[in-house]
Amino acid sequence: MTSLYARKTSEVELWPSQLEAAERSTDVRDDLVVALPTSAGKTRIAELAALMTVAQQKRVLIVTPLRALSAQTERSFRETFGPLGFTVSSLYGASGVSETDEDALRSKNIVIATPEKLDFALRNDPSIIDDIGLIVLDEGHMIGPTEREIRYETLVQRLLRRSDAASRRIVCLSAILPEGDQLDDLTAWIRNDEPGGPVTLRWRQGSALFVDLPGMRAWLEGAEVTALTDADDWPTPETAALWQRFRSDMLSGGIRTREISEIRLALDHNQPRPPNGLYRVEEVNGGEAWICTPDFRRLAKLRRRVRDRAHGLLSARFIPGANRAIVKRYGRGRAAWIEPED
């Protein structure tokens, strides 16, 4: 943000998926449920909501259900808000709350905490968040039947039932929130049945609907993408030339896949088996691997986590009689598939 001051014209680029959420994030009375895929810009939405809050001289609390996410979120918000003079700290680690933790939760402009740490702090002193103006619930989909998910849901319920709950805003973020009635019910719960719906990704022109290399080539050769490319201003005027060069190289064979690997992987516990067919595989939450439809709708999570530094193209195929997904990777380098610790 501070870099904007150095420009003659200060502007912030927002992706199409962020526009509705960005508009609503400026209304500090609007409790938000934001359901956007990974890399669709949820962090920017949280930053805008936080900026509106600290501008009113109120503090921000961000709840992240995983320690690794807490550390990552702390770095991101410190890079953004530190140069503006706002203090950022995080509470995670062993059980219990130290004096240092309580001091941070009581005094820092932006505090990132795990549900366990926040729960301990509130039991010791419920007034410790009295001057919090915004609570961001990260990974809002992690509300469910497991012990950790139940703890998260219980904490959210306690926050929503506080006598002063109406004095602070709630923003719930997730990449994997369900669609339909479940999403509507969650939104009504977060918004205390106030009118207003969730922010979701609306499918837009030129979106990729492929899951493997032949599908990518067909998409690149399609009439819609060809017309968009020829317009010389897609995806944006600044990146049009780069896109045209990439598309030309792909279709001419200038960019070649060095390796194709294949592995059979089991679905995670209690995950529904998708029908037979070909699917996309997406990495979310820093390593979770999800079976998705071509338009990124998540269907089932794989048991193993994935680490793919080269960001290859991952596809999955289910065949009759097979309870495992056949996952194929196209691209340079290799992906590491990691067994869960439990």
Side-chain angles (χ1 to χ4, degrees):
M1 290 184 182
T2 52
S3 66
L4 297 176
Y5 292 119
R7 306 179 189 174
K8 290 184 178 179
T9 303
S10 297
E11 77 283 341
V12 175
E13 180 181 2
L14 294 174
W15 302 336
S17 58
Q18 297 171 314
L19 292 177
E20 179 188 355
E23 181 179 359
R24 291 179 61 181
S25 69
T26 61
D27 183 353
V28 296
R29 300 164 300 177
D30 189 4
D31 293 331
L32 289 180
V33 173
V34 181
L36 295 177
T38 300
S39 300
K42 293 185 297 299
T43 300
R44 178 63 60 83
I45 302 309
E47 289 175 349
L48 289 172
L51 184 62
M52 297 300 299
T53 301
V54 295
Q56 294 187 321
Q57 298 183 333
K58 294 184 179 180
R59 299 191 301 120
V60 176
L61 174 62
I62 303 172
V63 186
T64 56
L66 302 174
R67 295 179 186 178
L69 286 176
S70 295
Q72 176 183 330
T73 303
E74 179 186 11
R75 288 193 299 270
S76 175
F77 272 75
R78 181 172 286 132
E79 290 175 359
T80 300
F81 288 90
L84 298 176
F86 296 109
T87 55
V88 180
S89 186
S90 61
L91 285 66
Y92 59 93
S95 299
V97 180
S98 66
E99 291 184 6
T100 303
D101 292 335
E102 289 190 0
D103 179 67
L105 187 53
R106 197 182 301 276
S107 62
K108 302 300 182 182
N109 297 117
I110 300 174
V111 181
I112 299 97
T114 58
E116 295 82 3
K117 280 286 189 180
L118 182 57
D119 183 62
F120 272 112
L122 290 175
R123 290 180 188 277
N124 290 339
D125 183 4
S127 69
I128 202 167
I129 64 168
D130 281 358
D131 62 341
I132 292 290
L134 167 68
I135 297 178
V136 178
L137 304 173
D138 200 8
E139 306 302 327
H141 64 278
M142 292 189 67
I143 294 174
T146 69
E147 181 179 353
R148 170 172 284 175
E149 292 169 339
I150 290 174
R151 285 201 300 266
Y152 196 11
E153 180 176 357
T154 301
L155 174 65
V156 174
Q157 186 73 347
R158 287 179 59 199
L159 292 171
L160 294 175
R161 288 185 173 182
R162 283 175 60 104
S163 61
D164 62 350
S167 67
R168 65 180 56 89
R169 186 185 193 186
I170 301 287
V171 173
C172 179
L173 308 174
S174 181
I176 323 173
L177 289 174
E179 298 178 352
D181 292 342
Q182 287 180 289
L183 179 55
D184 292 338
D185 290 343
L186 176 65
T187 303
W189 181 48
I190 295 295
R191 294 178 60 85
N192 196 26
D193 292 322
E194 289 292 324
V199 177
T200 57
L201 178 65
R202 293 182 175 85
W203 199 244
R204 60 186 183 272
Q205 199 178 33
S207 297
L209 290 172
F210 57 83
V211 297
D212 57 7
L213 280 185
M216 177 190 284
R217 185 177 184 89
W219 177 74
L220 290 171
E221 292 176 331
E224 181 186 23
V225 174
T226 299
L228 291 169
T229 303
D230 292 343
D232 292 329
D233 61 357
W234 191 81
T236 68
E238 295 78 14
T239 60
L242 180 64
W243 164 257
Q244 290 169 354
R245 186 162 63 252
F246 167 79
R247 178 174 179 268
S248 176
D249 287 344
M250 285 296 297
L251 293 179
S252 65
I255 298 178
R256 297 186 180 278
T257 300
R258 294 184 179 178
E259 194 163 356
I260 300 176
S261 58
E262 188 174 287
I263 185 172
R264 291 176 178 259
L265 297 171
L267 296 174
D268 204 359
H269 302 301
N270 300 320
Q271 291 292 305
R273 182 193 184 281
N276 299 330
L278 191 63
Y279 299 91
R280 178 189 294 269
V281 177
E282 286 293 310
E283 179 184 351
V284 302
N285 298 337
E288 291 182 0
W290 279 78
I291 305 292
C292 306
T293 60
D295 60 352
F296 300 94
R297 183 166 57 87
R298 288 168 175 78
L299 302 177
K301 185 173 72 170
L302 293 171
R303 176 172 170 76
R304 291 195 191 183
R305 298 176 68 85
V306 61
R307 183 182 298 126
D308 190 2
R309 301 186 187 279
H311 301 292
L313 175 63
L314 297 170
S315 67
R317 179 166 51 94
F318 287 90
I319 59 176
N323 291 323
R324 293 171 175 260
I326 303 173
V327 177
K328 184 174 289 188
R329 181 185 181 277
Y330 306 86
R332 296 175 174 84
R334 300 186 71 86
W337 295 94
I338 305 164
E339 287 282 359
E341 293 181 359
D342 60 352

